[in-house]
Amino acid sequence: MKSNKKNNQTISAPLSADTLEENSSNLKAEQNSTAVAPSNKNKQNNKLKNKGENGFVRFFKKIGRAFRGMFEELKKVTWPTFASTLKSTCIVLVFVVIFLVVLMGMDALFGFGFNSLIGIGS
């Protein structure tokens, strides 16, 4: 038996499909009762404010707001220093060379094995 202290409900285990459905409907009802309805004042104000503007003007205003937001976020970015960028680039290049050597070795080994198998059959 599992007790839910919040609602003082007791759920018996194992849960059946009926009890799961019942518990989910209780949870949904609880969430809906505590939800706050969004205010429509902002939407009405925006509609009244933009009523004289046509679709093109609103479209370009939205694009302008998007670019402004992008530039604001780019100002918050902490860019790496040249030294850390150089260090990271060197580390990546070293790993690329190591994997290149490993893959070339495996390719040569498998090629030699394949050729020796082909040579046995003829």
Side-chain angles (χ1 to χ4, degrees):
M1 296 275 251
K2 184 178 179 183
S3 176
N4 187 350
K5 292 182 181 179
K6 187 174 182 180
N7 295 332
N8 294 329
Q9 295 176 341
T10 302
I11 303 169
S12 59
L15 294 174
S16 66
D18 294 334
T19 57
L20 284 174
E21 185 178 316
E22 194 176 292
N23 288 333
S24 67
S25 65
N26 289 342
L27 181 63
K28 286 178 187 176
E30 182 180 313
Q31 287 174 345
N32 288 339
S33 67
T34 60
V36 178
S39 67
N40 291 331
K41 286 184 180 181
N42 290 337
K43 289 180 184 178
Q44 289 173 352
N45 288 341
N46 286 340
K47 284 182 182 178
L48 292 175
K49 187 191 286 186
N50 296 334
K51 192 169 186 172
E53 299 173 350
N54 62 16
F56 288 111
V57 173
R58 287 192 305 267
F59 174 74
F60 285 110
K61 279 188 175 183
K62 287 181 182 179
I63 289 176
R65 273 187 246 127
F67 275 106
R68 247 182 270 126
M70 243 190 312
F71 287 123
E72 290 297 319
E73 289 298 320
L74 281 175
K75 288 178 186 176
K76 296 176 187 177
V77 172
T78 304
W79 297 101
T81 62
F82 180 74
S84 83
T85 304
L86 191 62
K87 183 179 176 181
S88 298
T89 303
C90 289
I91 290 171
V92 167
L93 289 176
V94 166
F95 275 102
V96 166
V97 169
I98 289 171
F99 280 111
L100 175 72
V101 170
V102 168
L103 287 176
M104 285 177 60
M106 290 174 62
D107 182 46
L109 184 67
F110 290 138
F112 177 73
F114 184 72
N115 286 335
S116 65
L117 284 174
I118 298 289
I120 292 172
S122 30

